[in-house]
Amino acid sequence: MIRIGIGYDLHRLEVKRKFILAGIEIPYPKGEEGHSDGDVLAHAVCDALLGASALGDIGELFPPSSLKWKGADSMKLLQDVYSRVKQSGWKLVNLDCVIVCEKPKILPYREVIRQSLADVLEVTIERVFIKGKTSEGLGPIGKGKAIEVFAQCLLES
Ligand code: MG
């Protein structure tokens, strides 16, 4: 059997926060606000995997009301999510993501981010793709106030 899943997340961008995508820190004066480390890409991928396997959602599994997840490394959360997915008999076929932010440019970091996701999801890099898009200066994302990610995955059992 195969199943498709979709995940979405948005975080505000604030000063004195690290800009982190899939555990990779990108030099930039602002970063994602959040209860955890704010890794918006890791969060969207968690929700895509959880959606495809019908195992819940990230807010349910790791509630922001819990002090346990304050400053959490979101790639550890993704590792936890993927082990639940595997325990349910699923494995990843492929993952595709769109990262929307005005700055910084994602392309120079694309391969290292893909590899970081592939490592946690135990697949080769060609099964994982990401691309950066801008919002053409429009709305809160275009003004550099936020970043959003759309993630889509296919699982097979
Ligand atoms: Mg989030």
Side-chain angles (χ1 to χ4, degrees), residues 22-80:
I24 305 299
E25 195 180 328
I26 295 175
Y28 188 62
K30 290 182 183 179
E32 303 109 311
E33 187 58 62
H35 183 69
S36 65
D37 61 3
D39 191 331
V40 62
L41 177 56
H43 296 174
V45 173
C46 282
D47 266 350
L49 293 166
L50 291 169
S53 55
L55 289 173
D57 67 65
I58 189 170
E60 187 183 355
L61 265 51
F62 313 107
S65 53
S66 165
L67 275 177
K68 194 176 170 190
W69 311 116
K70 187 160 170 52
D73 174 352
S74 298
M75 290 303 274
K76 293 251 162 58
L77 307 188
L78 179 56
Q79 206 164 27
D80 182 300

Side-chain angles (χ1 to χ4, degrees), residues 9-11 40 43:
D9 199 17
L10 177 149
H11 280 243
V40 62
H43 296 174

Side-chain angles (χ1 to χ4, degrees), residues 99-147:
I99 300 159
V100 192
C101 61
E102 211 62 21
K103 281 179 183 172
K105 284 277 170 234
I106 302 303
L107 186 58
Y109 304 94
R110 185 178 74 190
E111 300 310 299
V112 66
I113 290 170
R114 289 176 69 201
Q115 190 62 60
S116 177
L117 288 169
D119 287 347
V120 169
L121 301 174
E122 301 169 7
V123 291
T124 48
I125 191 168
E126 66 272 13
R127 288 176 183 257
V128 175
F129 209 78
I130 63 154
K131 53 261 184 187
K133 301 289 286 183
T134 74
S135 224
E136 298 282 342
L138 296 171
I141 291 168
K143 303 279 178 270
K145 292 180 177 171
I147 177 170

